Amino acid sequence: MTGLIDFYVAHPFWLWLSAAAVFLAIEVGTGTGWLLWPAASAAAVGVVALLLPTGLPVEIALFAVLTIASTYFARRFLRPALAGPDPDLNDPTLRLLGRPAEVVAAFENGRGRVFVDGKEWAAQTEGETEGQAPPETGTRVSVIGVHGAVLTVR
């Protein structure tokens, strides 16, 4: 323990930079988004410790304030800016919403098959409408919903 205190006294910048690296490594491993801001705060405190003669209590208080403030502002203002109108890019089925599809097997009782995004999918119609014939083979339809491996089309 004495070695760590001696190291801090001689090099507070490197101790805070190491703490930032540990937070960042854990964040990369978990991908939660919660430890990104403590990592940035620890790096900022390291820069402050390098430039100004502060003590450990002041640095810990600064770290706490920066962590709380940066996490709050990031959650409050950054998340809405990053959350766009597009569906999750990692879910290929949600990317099908709104895409045009071609009927490849005639619909019977509201169920058939469509070709969209280079694949053939099981599909169902949105709902039976009075007097409206089911889509025929070759008809263009639009994907309006995804339920597992079955697309809902209109």
Side-chain angles (χ1 to χ4, degrees):
M1 187 69 177
T2 311
L4 186 62
I5 293 172
D6 291 337
F7 182 76
Y8 167 76
V9 170
H11 309 287
F13 170 76
W14 292 110
L15 186 68
W16 284 106
L17 200 60
S18 299
V22 168
F23 281 126
L24 195 56
I26 295 171
E27 173 58 39
V28 167
T30 60
T32 62
W34 285 103
L35 294 177
L36 183 61
W37 308 112
S41 298
V45 170
V47 170
V48 168
L50 184 65
L51 300 175
L52 301 174
T54 57
L56 185 60
V58 171
E59 292 168 7
I60 290 174
L62 180 61
F63 172 72
V65 168
L66 284 175
T67 299
I68 291 169
S70 61
T71 302
Y72 171 76
F73 285 115
R75 293 291 172 181
R76 176 77 168 95
F77 299 109
L78 189 57
R79 178 153 326 262
L82 292 178
D86 296 332
D88 184 8
L89 292 176
N90 295 325
D91 189 350
T93 57
L94 290 180
R95 289 188 297 200
L96 296 174
L97 293 175
R99 302 278 307 265
E102 183 178 342
V103 177
V104 293
F107 278 73
E108 294 180 17
N109 298 325
R111 296 198 170 267
R113 298 196 64 80
V114 296
F115 186 80
V116 61
D117 198 30
K119 299 176 193 158
E120 191 173 306
W121 293 80
Q124 63 187 14
T125 55
E126 180 180 20
E128 293 300 320
T129 308
E130 276 302 311
Q132 185 176 0
E136 297 178 15
T137 304
T139 305
R140 301 289 273 178
V141 292
S142 180
V143 178
I144 60 168
V146 180
H147 305 286
V150 178
L151 304 180
T152 303
V153 296
R154 177 182 317 151

